């Protein structure tokens, strides 16, 4: 019996050695969309940040979101987190600051398009002509010159937090003409309802990194749109806090439409 065990161990070791010299297939690594909390938590007014920005950046160099206490709109661009506050100005927050809601991904461009004279509503209507299916996630990156850009931000909230739809009812809005810059955001499929914003959700950062915000409307003069296909999705949820007592049984589609508009 003992001999058998030794023999078995030898065979195992030998097999392991064999495996080491065998060529492994190239590791397939799809880019992962990493999301912090869910949109229906934000709609309920759960604005306490819990994931440090320093950690968020390790999951992807491009994305959007907001900050602790809803203190502005987030644009993550080329590994840098930009904070567009309610005064319309852009700040660089510390890595120790936190987010209650964000989504980031690494930029791996699958398709690119040059675009001329297109409005946000046309892009939304025609977006299906740019991708192979509406049923996966996309990182959306547009660099261009805009004849018109309409954005908003949100002011920092104090507790007790109000629902997002009440906050955005009096949001500061900004309009710019003939401005160059970058758009970052995501397209999420219809089945992501409640988890993220379905369809397009885009944020803007001007080329001088002084202006930006959540996009309400734009007219692109000329530019390039890059899309990264995202087939891998990871959710990071808060440990405790308001989230554990939240009510996720309510359909908040109408609230979200008000917020987005
Ligand atoms: Zn937004």
């Amino acid at each position: 019996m003992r001999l058998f065990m030794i023999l078995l161990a030898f065979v195992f070791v030998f097999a392991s050695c064999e495996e080491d010299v065998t060529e492994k297939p190239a590791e397939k690594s799809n880019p992962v969309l990493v999301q912090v909390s869910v949109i229906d938590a934000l709609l309920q007014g759960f604005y306490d940040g819990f994931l440090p920005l320093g950690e968020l950046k390790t999951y992807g160099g491009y994305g959007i979101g907001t900050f602790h206490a809803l203190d502005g709109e987030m644009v993550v661009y080329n590994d840098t987190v930009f904070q567009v506050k309610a005064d319309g100005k852009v700040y660089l927050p510390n890595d120790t600051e936190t987010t209650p809601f964000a989504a980031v991904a690494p930029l791996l461009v699958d398709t690119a398009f040059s675009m001329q004279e297109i409005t946000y509503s046309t892009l939304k209507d025609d977006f299906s002509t740019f991708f192979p299916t509406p049923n996966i996630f996309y990182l959306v990156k547009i660099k261009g010159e805009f004849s018109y850009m309409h954005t908003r931000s949100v002011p920092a909230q104090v507790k007790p937090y109000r629902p997002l739809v009440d906050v955005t009812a009096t949001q500061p809005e900004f309009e710019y003409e003939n401005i160059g810059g970058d758009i970052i955001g995501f397209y999420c499929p219809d089945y992501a309802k409640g988890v993220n914003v379905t369809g397009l959700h885009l944020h803007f950062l001007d080329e001088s990194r002084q202006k930006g915000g959540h996009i309400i409307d734009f007219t692109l003069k000329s530019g390039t749109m890059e899309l990264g296909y995202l087939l891998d999705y990871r959710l990071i949820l808060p440990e405790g806090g308001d989230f554990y007592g939240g009510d996720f049984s309510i359909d908040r589609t109408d609230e979200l439409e008000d917020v987005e508009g």
Side-chain angles (χ1 to χ4, degrees):
M1 183 63 192
R2 183 183 283 174
L3 183 69
F4 176 72
M5 290 295 281
I6 290 164
L7 196 68
L8 200 69
F10 177 78
V11 168
F12 180 73
V13 168
F14 184 74
S16 306
C17 292
E18 274 291 281
E19 203 171 77
D20 280 350
V21 293
T22 313
E23 214 160 287
K24 284 180 185 170
E27 246 172 65
K28 192 172 181 275
S29 63
N30 280 326
V32 183
L33 167 55
V34 176
Q35 186 181 319
V36 179
S37 192
V38 296
I39 193 68
D40 274 12
L42 205 66
L43 287 167
Q44 288 176 69
F46 302 164
Y47 307 140
D48 281 340
F50 64 97
L51 192 99
L53 304 181
E55 184 182 339
L56 181 73
K57 287 191 289 185
T58 66
Y59 300 128
Y62 293 84
I64 56 175
T66 187
F67 298 87
H68 173 68
L70 204 67
D71 190 11
E73 304 283 350
M74 180 192 292
V75 185
V76 187
Y77 192 94
N78 195 18
D79 297 325
T80 303
V81 178
F82 297 91
Q83 182 175 17
V84 187
K85 291 199 187 188
D87 60 4
K89 292 178 185 157
V90 180
Y91 299 82
L92 293 171
N94 291 323
D95 282 354
T96 52
E97 289 182 42
T98 57
T99 176
F101 179 80
V104 294
L107 178 68
L108 276 129
V109 179
D110 289 285
T111 48
F113 308 89
S114 89
M115 298 192 299
Q116 265 88 35
E117 297 299 334
I118 187 164
T119 63
Y120 190 23
S121 60
T122 308
L123 181 68
K124 279 191 273 197
D125 290 347
D126 296 351
F127 202 64
S128 63
T129 61
F130 295 104
F131 60 35
T133 172
N135 299 332
I136 63 170
F137 295 79
Y138 298 91
L139 176 67
V140 181
K141 180 176 175 290
I142 301 171
K143 182 182 275 299
E145 292 293 321
F146 300 86
S147 50
Y148 178 67
M149 177 60 71
H150 183 187
T151 64
R152 72 113 196 270
S153 187
V154 276
Q157 301 296 297
V158 289
K159 285 193 163 182
Y161 294 140
R162 296 174 296 157
L164 190 58
V165 70
D166 294 344
V167 175
T168 56
T170 56
Q171 63 193 10
E173 296 184 15
F174 312 98
E175 288 178 286
Y176 306 105
E177 284 176 9
N178 300 315
I179 188 167
D182 298 284
I183 289 173
I184 289 292
F186 293 95
Y187 170 93
C188 296
D190 286 337
Y191 59 74
K193 191 167 81 112
V195 175
N196 205 322
V197 177
T198 59
L200 283 172
H201 178 191
L202 307 175
H203 288 189
F204 177 68
L205 197 62
D206 86 317
E207 60 193 359
S208 68
R209 303 318 192 216
Q210 310 270 310
K211 307 172 185 92
H214 169 102
I215 293 176
I216 296 170
D217 195 14
F218 67 75
T219 304
L220 175 74
K221 221 184 290 176
S222 68
T224 307
M225 178 168 72
E226 296 173 324
L227 297 181
Y229 301 177
L230 297 166
L231 304 165
D232 220 332
Y233 196 156
R234 179 184 168 195
L235 264 184
I236 302 175
L237 301 176
E239 204 178 321
D242 294 333
F243 191 87
Y244 276 23
D247 184 355
F248 293 91
S249 67
I250 298 165
D251 186 336
R252 299 179 193 275
T253 307
D254 292 344
E255 275 176 63
L256 184 61
E257 268 172 29
D258 281 355
V259 166
E260 288 298 298

